[in-house]
Amino acid sequence: MLRKRIFIGGIVQAVGFRPFVYNLALKNGLCGFVLNSGRGVIIEAQGPAAAVQKFIAQILQNPPALSRIESVKTQNIALKRENSFIIKTSRRAGAAQTAVPPDIAICKDCQKDIADKNNRRYRYPFTNCTNCGPRFTIIKDLPYDRAQSTMKPFKMCPACRAEFENPQDRRFHAQPSCCAACGPRVWFVCGGKNIGGIEEAAAKIKQGKIIAIKSLGGFHLACDALNKAAVARLRARKNRPHKPLALMFGDIREIKKYCRVNAEEERLLKSAAAPAVMLKKRRDIALISDGLYTFGVMLPYTPMHKVLFDILGRGGALRGGHGPLVMTSGNISGRPICIDNQEALDDLGGIADGFLLHNRKIHNRIDDSVLFELGGKTHFLRRARGYAPAHIKLSSPLKKPALALGANLASSFCLGKGDKLFPSQYIGDLDNAGNILYFKETVKKMQRLLNIRPQIYLRDAHPGYYAAAYKPHAQKVLHHLAHALAVAAEHDLRRGFLCFAFDGAGLGADNTIWGAEFLEIGRGKWRRAGCLKPVRIFGGESATKDIWKCGLSYLLAAGFNDAQIKNILRPADTAAALCAARGNINCYTYSGAGRLFDAAAAILGLCAQTTYQAQGAMLLESAAARGASKACYEFALEEKGGLISVDTAPLIRGLAADRRRPAEAAAKFHNTLARIILAVALKLRAREVALCGGVFQNKILLARAQALLAAAGIKVYTNNILPAGDGAIAAGQLYAKYAGFV
Ligand code: ZN
Ligand code: ZN
Ligand code: FE
């Protein structure tokens, strides 16, 4: 006989770990207990030595699907007089911390429950179990118990309580478990009146109305995606003329009617995180993502979405099967996604015709995650629901708890303590009061939830970013170094590597705008090995929207005369701009990549003015998807004083010559950039290369660069946990501190 205390750390709460341990203990005939602490799960198991060993082995071999065991410690302790194994009530965490589980999409069993007329949870929109349901969005504090979540006001009915207390039941200790008799309820508000529930909302959607739906991490705005008038109205009311809209399909078969889906993409769509996945179009739907070759697509991930699609499908459907719904974030521009009923009624009143509301509070605001798949790996455009606040594990602990504030666009922050980095969810652009409030609110909530009191602050070097006002004395980390180190953090890269950090813009060490950087990263040291040759961009901030000004700038740099430029960029009125640009008025020096993509899109006539971020680059990528060319344009690799510079003027001249065949030209543009990356990597004799920065959210460029590098025997690292864009900056800043770069 012996008794062991077993301590297990990682994602072990709210994933069915305790009942799993309990059932294993019963099977092995052990006594003792299992307990959630703020630090992880504590088990004491007593019995014959062989049985205890077997019990531990079984825990490690086959833990619950959603758990992630990161540490195990065991010790022998004195025997106790016991004759049963029990699940003890939670112990309040001390100065400890553990992981907070992300939200989990509705599981197959719960889907069956709500589809079964004879089940007591038939069409109940808050059905969940130990294997699925809300987590992060409803958790206020650790350890995770119903009383510390927004389920607290709902007192379990006897039937739910019986399931909750029965270790053999799927809902054993499922904290948010409930039913129609005891749980939250939904209602539908239209014209200021409460007129029913999901049935009535579905009827309005069929009539072409726009409905605000309180989902898991915030509100959605939904309408029939196949109803062009409805989508046009949504776009007009949301003041969003072109930005792609996310779609939700009833099931995978429906998705396959409109999109190409490979096995890995299907797995992601159906995964517990249930993100929006960027898929290649098979059949287009007007006004959803015009000009682009992809749709952002997700499956219903809450029981409420499921019930809604169930009702829509049954009643004869939205044209044919039950077609897709637009499912876009419920916010007005410059404001975060709404989470509160009154907030939604106020903010979205001018957009939505009806409101599907419920009375379970959303504690943590979070958008849908958006990603694409390449070569079996995930590439995030936005890391949020289903992923945040999962952590990145470091191989050794940080010296002090820290908070890194990230960058300004598509921002997120990152908390660090012990051997863990906790990147926050996507928050949005910090150029407006609404998102700044969201940022501050989330910093507060996450510090409390994870019990971290930062002693060190880190921020971008850019003086105009919000972080500079929020924590002016924070230690500064250079933007592109942070990009590089975010990759290092994910892959625990200790050795040196060459990083291609390509993005729109970031403040460089020489106070010019960088963004197509070749950085040699060593141990605590780094060097700018080169960049794309700087170009003078005319138009200041306005050039990111009036992207014809980027076209003009690059054409000027490539030696075109005024008449040629006027001809290429028609119908933009270039006369005054040319005059100013030649006089170096309102110009800045730029060595980035983002404006180069904008210039190419403008030169090829794909877009002169943008209405959303990266529109030029996305249209260019989509044009490249239609082009078959394997050819390249010329480029010139120069070296001066140990600094490589790549002149893109020949590339621009090639684009201008090919502009009547934009698809072929766009394909050649992408091929050329991939070639440039390979040429620089070979020149610098790199063996390991990191590709990061927002430019690598371009799947075609990423795929081509990866393929060329791999063929040359070079190992490629990318961001697969964090987005390649500025959403990774905060984690990179923290890693800079951790690895001694600042
Ligand atoms: Zn379930
Ligand atoms: Zn109940
Ligand atoms: Fe960046």
Side-chain angles (χ1 to χ4, degrees), residues 120 157 160 178-179 181-182:
R120 68 188 193 91
C157 69
C160 288
C178 57
C179 71
C182 66

Side-chain angles (χ1 to χ4, degrees), residues 166-179:
N166 175 7
Q168 328 282 266
D169 194 279
R170 206 174 86 239
R171 295 194 170 86
F172 177 63
H173 282 217
Q175 301 297 337
S177 180
C178 57
C179 71

Side-chain angles (χ1 to χ4, degrees), residues 291-312:
L292 303 182
Y293 74 120
T294 52
F295 287 129
V297 169
M298 57 192 159
L299 286 169
Y301 57 83
T302 69
M304 195 197 292
H305 299 144
K306 271 277 168 200
V307 173
L308 178 63
F309 271 93
D310 190 33
I311 292 169
L312 285 170

Side-chain angles (χ1 to χ4, degrees), residues 697-725:
Q697 292 180 327
N698 177 323
K699 187 175 178 177
I700 292 182
L701 176 64
L702 181 63
R704 291 183 190 177
Q706 265 183 354
L708 284 181
L709 291 164
I714 296 167
K715 175 118 178 84
V716 183
Y717 294 95
T718 53
N719 290 112
N720 305 114
I721 299 175
L722 300 162

Side-chain angles (χ1 to χ4, degrees), residues 107 110 128-129 131-132 170:
C107 74
C110 287
N128 64 78
C129 72
N131 304 316
C132 76
R170 206 174 86 239

